[in-house]
């Protein structure tokens, strides 16, 4: 729900905005959070929905269209996945138990800037395991109150119609930690973390069997962002999303890294400016054009312009497939059709059932060979993000007869009438670094399967 559907996120903290701004607890080391692909054997989604590759693509299309720390330890909260979205494993609260906190998964959302989770006592609830957070039994749970001593409230609305509302509170957050040498593990705590305790929640998570998602971790650009509240981040976070084959058991681990834990690679990074829009948690970019291999398409930069709070381009790890504003998408599609017209072993096919718009049947299986690179040209002169074939396309096989398969590939992008969104599939095998203080996005090619 959260990551791709919160593009037009609006929230209100009733009568207490100034109070909250003055009471955020800023908690110096880096932070590394494990991320696990949704097709991983460790993912509850795979256990609940052992779907075919074609079903996986249909689901991704659907998702793309809706929407205090010890100085000797580096906090590294664990991340798992469900519903093709990266989710973060956290501990929260203080209880007379072992461990002395409750563990939950939150949907990692770079498109919004407020963290919330479903709480015990909710009047409208979605199904989850474990049960909603028992706030009244935690000795560290504190309500945030306004000037009249009334509980502060929040309300969030998402583009797909999902909603959550409840009370604003402060709690102790517990994050998995490794020491600086990478050996050993522990748990670090962050006191006074401001979050929303959801009491009326309409979310799609509950539609999945054995759902483990309890809410959303907002990593967007805002005063209530996880990145802002965790001082270890120093306003910087990074991830590297691996290309994963759903039919193999081997699943690479990857991490959300913050602050000093961000890896400095040998390869020089490209960079562009991060643009901030007041009241919006999304990260905007100045997209200037698109190329197929080295051929620049005839697309005006005006196609990606942001005017009157409309249009523009954002980067969002929660949107599976990129959405390209329609005028630019049509030229990208035509450019690819022209490119593939010279390939004799291809037959253009309709893939309405998949939801992808441009697909071909191959007479001879080649995988990602002979597929072009697609480059997004961003502002700054050094802002070219080169999308290799694995990030630009989906390749799959379909059974046609007993023990016989036909290979197909599709452009893993979709048209949009609203704005351009650089999605997760196009970010695979890229080290992405967000620097909110310098307002800069850096990226470079990297094999994200290598303990990233």
């Amino acid at each position: 729900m959260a990551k791709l559907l919160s593009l037009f996120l609006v929230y209100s903290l009733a009568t207490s905005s100034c109070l909250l701004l003055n009471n955020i607890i800023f908690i110096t080391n880096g932070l590394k959070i494990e991320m696990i692909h949704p097709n991983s054997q460790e993912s509850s989604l795979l256990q609940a929905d052992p779907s075919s590759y074609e079903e996986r693509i249909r689901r991704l299309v659907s998702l793309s269209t809706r929407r205090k720390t010890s100085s000797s330890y580096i906090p590294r909260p664990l991340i798992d996945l469900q519903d093709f979205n990266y989710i973060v494993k956290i501990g929260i609260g203080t209880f007379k138990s072992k461990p002395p906190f409750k563990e939950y998964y939150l949907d990692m959302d770079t498109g919004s800037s407020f963290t919330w989770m479903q709480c015990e006592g909710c009047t409208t609830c979605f199904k989850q395991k474990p049960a909603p957070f028992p706030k009244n039994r935690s000795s560290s749970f504190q309500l945030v109150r306004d000037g009249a001593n009334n509980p502060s409230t929040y309300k969030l609305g998402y583009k797909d119609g999902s909603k959550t509302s409840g009370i604003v509170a402060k709690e102790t957050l517990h994050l998995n930690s490794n020491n600086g040498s990478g050996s050993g593990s522990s748990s670090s705590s962050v006191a006074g973390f401001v979050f929303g305790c959801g009491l009326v929640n309409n979310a799609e998570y509950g539609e999945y069997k054995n759902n483990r998602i309890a809410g959303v971790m907002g990593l967007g650009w805002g005063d209530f962002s996880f990145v802002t509240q965790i001082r270890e981040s120093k306003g910087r976070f990074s991830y590297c999303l691996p290309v994963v084959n759903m039919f193999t058991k081997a699943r690479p681990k990857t991490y959300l890294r913050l602050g000093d834990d961000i890896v400095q690679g040998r390869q020089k990074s490209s960079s562009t400016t991060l643009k901030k829009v007041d009241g919006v948690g999304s990260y905007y970019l100045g997209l200037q054009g698109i190329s197929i291999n080295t051929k620049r398409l005839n697309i005006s930069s005006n196609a990606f312009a942001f005017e009157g709070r409309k249009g523009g381009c954002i980067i969002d790890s929660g949107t599976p497939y990129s959405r390209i504003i329609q005028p630019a998408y049509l030229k990208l599609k035509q450019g690819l059709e022209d490119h593939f017209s010279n390939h004799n072993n291809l037959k253009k096919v309709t893939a309405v059932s998949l939801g992808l718009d441009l697909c071909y049947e191959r007479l001879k299986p080649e995988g990602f060979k002979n597929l072009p690179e697609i480059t997004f040209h961003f502002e700054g002169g050094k802002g070219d993000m080169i999308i290799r074939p694995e990030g630009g396309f989906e390749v799959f096989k379909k059974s046609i007869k007993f023990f016989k398969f036909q290979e197909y590939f599709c452009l893993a992008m979709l048209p949009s009438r609203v704005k351009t969104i650089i999605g997760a599939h196009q970010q695979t095998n890229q080290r992405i670094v967000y620097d909110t203080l310098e307002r800069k996005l850096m990226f470079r090619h990297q094999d994200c399967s290598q303990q990233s």
Side-chain angles (χ1 to χ4, degrees):
M1 175 201 70
K3 289 180 284 217
L4 38 136
L5 303 176
S6 60
L7 303 179
F8 299 100
L9 178 64
V10 177
Y11 65 82
S12 63
L13 300 173
T15 70
S16 61
S17 297
C18 293
L19 178 66
L20 284 177
L21 287 170
N22 292 329
N23 282 276
I24 292 176
I25 306 299
F26 292 90
I27 318 300
T28 338
N29 291 328
L31 178 65
K32 185 168 98 175
I33 307 172
E34 184 178 358
M35 303 170 69
I36 305 173
H37 193 276
N39 294 328
S40 167
Q41 298 294 332
E42 298 175 61
S43 169
S44 61
L45 178 63
L46 185 64
Q47 298 164 10
D49 182 18
S51 53
S52 67
Y53 201 89
E54 295 165 71
E55 176 61 23
R56 170 183 176 268
I57 292 175
R58 282 191 287 269
R59 294 277 294 279
L60 289 173
V61 168
S62 176
L63 285 168
S64 298
T65 55
R66 293 173 303 178
R67 217 232 141 173
K68 194 164 185 180
T69 306
S70 168
S71 60
S72 62
Y73 284 86
I74 299 176
R76 292 169 181 172
L78 177 68
I79 290 189
D80 198 339
L81 271 189
Q82 182 180 292
D83 191 23
F84 304 109
N85 292 326
Y86 289 95
I87 57 178
V88 183
K89 187 177 183 180
I90 64 164
I92 188 169
T94 305
F95 302 88
K96 295 180 180 179
S97 61
K98 289 187 178 181
F101 49 81
K102 303 293 184 183
E103 291 186 322
Y104 293 95
Y105 286 95
L106 301 179
D107 193 358
M108 187 185 79
D109 186 3
T110 60
S112 66
S113 58
F114 189 66
T115 297
W116 66 271
M117 63 186 300
Q118 190 162 241
C119 283
E120 189 175 86
C122 53
T123 56
T124 302
C125 321
F126 55 82
K127 294 180 181 179
Q128 68 171 75
K129 291 185 177 181
F133 177 61
K135 62 183 186 307
N136 294 332
R137 286 184 276 156
S138 171
S139 61
S140 52
F141 181 84
Q142 292 180 284
L143 289 175
V144 173
R145 297 181 178 274
D146 62 19
N149 204 33
N150 296 314
S152 297
T153 62
Y154 80 95
K155 186 176 183 179
L156 297 170
Y158 297 85
K159 189 182 176 184
D160 69 337
S162 299
K163 298 177 182 179
T164 176
S165 61
I167 52 177
V168 182
K170 289 192 279 188
E171 254 294 7
T172 299
L173 210 61
H174 300 268
L175 308 174
N176 286 347
S177 304
N178 284 4
N179 62 21
S181 64
S183 61
S185 63
S186 181
S187 175
S188 298
S189 61
V190 180
F193 184 85
V194 176
F195 77 109
C197 207
L199 300 178
V200 179
N201 311 296
N202 293 287
E204 64 178 11
Y205 303 135
E207 298 175 8
Y208 299 98
K209 185 179 179 181
N210 299 322
N211 168 57
R212 293 182 293 166
I213 299 179
V216 173
M217 175 182 282
L219 290 169
W221 212 345
D223 295 319
F224 305 104
S225 172
F226 177 86
V227 180
T228 303
Q229 294 196 63
I230 307 301
R231 199 170 65 187
E232 285 90 341
S233 75
K234 300 180 180 179
R236 301 170 68 242
F237 70 96
S238 172
Y239 53 76
C240 191
L241 307 180
V243 176
V244 177
N245 186 332
M246 72 176 296
F247 298 110
T248 63
K249 293 183 178 180
R251 306 296 178 187
K253 287 186 176 181
T254 188
Y255 300 87
L256 178 67
R257 295 175 180 266
L258 288 90
D260 294 338
D261 198 55
I262 295 176
V263 177
Q264 301 296 324
R266 297 179 180 178
Q267 181 182 344
K268 190 174 181 180
S269 295
S270 299
S271 65
T272 189
T273 301
L274 281 175
K275 299 176 183 292
K276 185 175 182 180
V277 176
D278 290 342
V280 180
S282 300
Y283 296 97
Y284 279 80
L285 306 173
L287 182 58
Q288 301 294 293
I290 302 174
S291 291
I292 298 174
N293 284 336
T294 58
K295 184 178 181 181
R296 183 82 172 243
L297 298 174
N298 184 25
I299 302 173
S300 170
S301 60
N302 292 333
F304 310 107
F306 179 81
E307 295 180 357
R309 303 183 73 83
K310 294 182 179 180
C313 172
I314 66 172
I315 181 168
D316 183 10
S317 62
T319 300
Y321 294 139
S322 290
R323 304 274 300 180
I324 310 298
I325 197 71
Q326 192 161 20
Y329 176 84
L330 292 175
K331 291 190 177 183
L332 171 61
K333 180 182 176 182
Q334 183 62 58
L336 288 170
E337 289 176 333
D338 294 343
H339 175 86
F340 292 128
S341 66
N342 299 320
H343 292 62
N344 296 325
N345 67 327
L346 298 181
K347 177 184 176 183
K348 189 177 177 182
V349 296
T350 302
V352 176
S353 62
L354 293 179
L356 294 175
D357 189 42
L358 182 63
C359 297
Y360 288 85
E361 175 186 317
R362 269 185 172 148
L363 302 180
K364 178 183 176 182
E366 297 182 68
F368 288 102
K369 293 181 179 178
N370 295 319
L371 294 179
E373 295 179 339
I374 297 173
T375 300
F376 293 127
H377 302 284
F378 296 108
E379 285 181 353
K382 297 180 180 179
D384 288 351
M385 179 181 285
I386 300 173
I387 311 301
R388 302 196 178 186
E390 306 93 284
F393 299 87
E394 287 281 12
V395 176
F396 60 99
K397 294 180 181 180
K398 185 174 182 180
S399 175
I400 54 176
K401 292 182 180 179
F402 291 111
F403 304 109
K404 286 190 176 182
F405 297 86
Q406 190 67 53
E407 185 176 272
Y408 299 82
F409 69 84
C410 300
L411 173 65
M413 302 184 201
L414 297 161
S416 169
R417 294 183 181 276
V418 180
K419 67 175 60 184
T420 296
I421 306 169
I422 308 302
H425 194 77
Q426 282 62 58
Q427 297 177 50
T428 53
N429 279 347
Q430 301 268 355
R431 165 62 61 186
I432 312 289
V433 180
Y434 299 71
D435 190 329
T436 64
L437 299 183
E438 296 294 328
R439 299 198 175 193
K440 182 186 295 185
L441 183 80
M442 293 159 281
F443 43 91
R444 66 176 184 273
H445 179 75
Q446 179 176 325
D447 182 355
C448 298
S449 67
Q450 302 301 309
Q451 289 291 315
S452 60

